[in-house]
Amino acid sequence: FKLSRSGIIAGCFVTKGKINRNSLVNLVRNGEPVFEGKLSSLKRFKDDVRDVSEGFECGMAIAGFDDLHEGDLIEAFEIEKIARKL
């Protein structure tokens, strides 16, 4: 849906895991990746939240991408850097 301030918001349902506000996301349409970027906002009802757990609904906006369609799959992930030990 469209908001005047935030742009296009994806109404989502978290099916597996947890989504954090600072996660990177892949947008997959018809089995093919369409866009990779960062979340610009994550909301639960009208409140900004840090994370949304499995089984809950949320709204999210993706920074730099507004071409969302019904049925798109958004995969959230984080990259962790682990220092090597000698």
Side-chain angles (χ1 to χ4, degrees), residues 17-28:
K18 181 189 277 191
I19 297 179
N20 292 322
R21 184 186 312 168
N22 56 357
S23 294
L24 295 171
V25 293
N26 277 336
L27 183 83
V28 179

Side-chain angles (χ1 to χ4, degrees), residues 11-45:
C12 303
F13 182 78
V14 181
T15 57
K16 189 173 186 180
K18 181 189 277 191
I19 297 179
N20 292 322
R21 184 186 312 168
N22 56 357
S23 294
L24 295 171
V25 293
N26 277 336
L27 183 83
V28 179
R29 182 176 297 149
N30 298 326
E32 297 193 20
V34 176
F35 182 79
E36 182 175 326
K38 262 186 97 91
L39 284 179
S40 60
S41 73
L42 181 65
K43 294 184 181 259
R44 180 128 167 81
F45 300 110

Side-chain angles (χ1 to χ4, degrees), residues 2-76:
K2 194 180 273 191
L3 292 180
S4 59
R5 294 182 202 163
S6 303
I8 302 292
I9 303 293
C12 303
F13 182 78
V14 181
T15 57
K16 189 173 186 180
K18 181 189 277 191
I19 297 179
N20 292 322
R21 184 186 312 168
N22 56 357
S23 294
L24 295 171
V25 293
N26 277 336
L27 183 83
V28 179
R29 182 176 297 149
N30 298 326
E32 297 193 20
V34 176
F35 182 79
E36 182 175 326
K38 262 186 97 91
L39 284 179
S40 60
S41 73
L42 181 65
K43 294 184 181 259
R44 180 128 167 81
F45 300 110
K46 292 186 179 185
D47 302 324
D48 284 325
V49 292
R50 290 184 183 168
D51 56 24
V52 178
S53 298
E54 183 175 329
F56 291 102
E57 295 177 345
C58 64
M60 60 179 76
I62 301 173
F65 190 78
D66 285 340
D67 186 32
L68 295 168
H69 296 286
E70 186 176 339
D72 287 350
L73 179 67
I74 299 173
E75 300 173 337

